[in-house]
Amino acid sequence: MAAGRKPRHDRTPGQESRARRHAGRESPRAPAPPGGLEAVFGVHAVRALLDRGEVPRELWVQEGSAGTRLAELVEVARQGGARLHSRPRDELDRLAQGAAHQGIIAFATPLAFEGETSLWLRLEGWPHEPPPLLLVLDGITDVHNFGACLRSADAAGVHGVIVPKDKAAPLNAMVRKVACGAAESMPVYQVTNLARAMARLKALGVWITGTAGEAEASLFEADFTGPTALVMGAEGKGMRRLTREACDTLVKLPMAGSVSSLNVSVATGICLFEAVRQRQGRAPGD
């Protein structure tokens, strides 16, 4: 650059002034759901809501072609008494915080965890066939992983998911979206002390199999044909010490490639469908 020459600016003074004003503006704030309600977004999540007979108080549908594409779903909600509103896409985007809402958002009563009492009453009165299959999630705090685990649990016919009160993801709108309806159909029991709850499961005849990378036995050596609780720990850290010690046995997924572990929701699906495979080959009364 020649001496004394001022550096060239890419913007004119007027453009720079406008840029400063724009930079000082706050992004539009996301609209708040109606009082006491939770936003449920995505076609599968909204359909699951309606299928279980829960009509949302309000339904927001994206302006334009989305109304035609979602006409059947919208009509079911309208007949149930939901108030319908047409909203621009950017408003739905802000409410869904960037997640794929697919042009539809319903406002419904928030989901709630079931308590320990419900779990024990259900297990104590369990019929002989099929034996219970439970999924225990220890330290799964990511809502995407939690939702994906619920989806796999529902697909595999799991009878209930158990989570601790601490170090657990909430049952929020994102979980409902990722779970594609499983969050509404799958009982999720929240327990105060996970290790103590696992001890009670044992007393009720449930065999507890935990997953750990350092385990000696392979997943495919485990027996899932009887009353079973499968325990999955958080990625990286795995199960907490007391949870690990409360397991009857530990198994691992045999890894043949260069990666040392799988995403917890992927590993959960593999483990659960090994249980499904074994149970389908189990003769009644075995």
Side-chain angles (χ1 to χ4, degrees):
M1 182 181 294
R5 182 177 295 176
K6 293 183 179 179
R8 181 184 172 196
H9 295 286
D10 292 331
R11 295 174 177 158
T12 65
Q15 288 174 322
E16 188 166 335
S17 177
R18 287 193 296 273
R20 286 174 180 164
R21 289 198 302 271
H22 179 74
R25 294 175 186 164
E26 294 182 0
S27 300
R29 185 172 298 175
L37 300 180
E38 180 176 77
V40 179
F41 47 85
V43 172
H44 293 294
V46 174
R47 180 173 287 119
L49 193 71
L50 295 171
D51 286 347
R52 69 188 290 216
E54 185 177 349
V55 179
R57 187 182 301 176
E58 290 189 17
L59 193 72
W60 288 11
V61 182
Q62 183 179 316
E63 294 174 345
S65 60
T68 303
R69 175 170 51 84
L70 302 168
E72 182 182 353
L73 204 58
V74 171
E75 180 59 21
V76 172
R78 187 193 65 78
Q79 290 182 2
R83 295 194 297 269
L84 306 181
H85 301 278
S86 181
R87 291 286 191 269
R89 177 174 177 173
D90 63 341
E91 193 168 348
L92 271 66
D93 287 344
R94 294 198 306 273
L95 186 61
Q97 298 182 354
H101 50 70
Q102 299 174 296
I104 189 166
I105 297 181
F107 295 96
T109 304
L111 290 178
F113 293 103
E114 296 197 34
E116 289 185 59
T117 302
S118 297
L119 173 62
W120 308 133
L121 288 174
R122 188 180 182 194
L123 289 176
E124 287 166 0
W126 197 267
H128 294 294
E129 293 294 338
L133 175 61
L134 304 168
L135 174 63
V136 180
L137 301 177
D138 182 31
I140 309 301
T141 58
D142 181 84
V143 291
H144 295 86
N145 283 335
F146 185 31
C149 287
L150 292 181
R151 186 174 181 178
S152 293
D154 181 78
V158 168
H159 299 108
V161 176
I162 301 172
V163 299
K165 278 190 175 180
D166 63 324
K167 298 186 182 301
L171 271 174
N172 62 13
M174 184 57 71
V175 171
R176 296 173 85 154
K177 163 67 176 174
V178 176
C180 293
E184 285 78 15
S185 61
M186 177 58 56
V188 183
Y189 302 97
Q190 190 178 67
V191 299
T192 303
N193 185 301
L194 187 55
R196 188 166 60 223
M198 291 168 68
R200 186 159 182 180
L201 287 175
K202 290 182 184 181
L204 290 169
V206 177
W207 184 262
I208 302 178
T209 300
T211 54
E214 69 277 11
E216 295 292 333
S218 163
L219 166 71
F220 306 114
E221 298 174 45
D223 182 1
F224 294 113
T225 56
T228 299
L230 173 69
V231 187
M232 305 298 298
E235 287 187 61
K237 295 181 179 178
M239 294 178 290
R240 289 177 288 183
R241 180 181 60 83
L242 292 177
T243 305
R244 181 190 304 264
E245 292 174 357
C247 293
D248 290 304
T249 188
L250 297 176
V251 298
K252 65 181 178 181
L253 280 170
M255 306 294 292
S258 59
V259 297
S260 60
S261 63
L262 296 175
N263 172 277
V264 66
S265 63
V266 174
T268 298
I270 294 171
C271 293
L272 288 176
F273 275 90
E274 169 59 16
V276 171
R277 186 192 67 79
Q278 292 186 21
R279 286 167 172 243
Q280 286 180 343
R282 177 180 183 269
D286 284 358

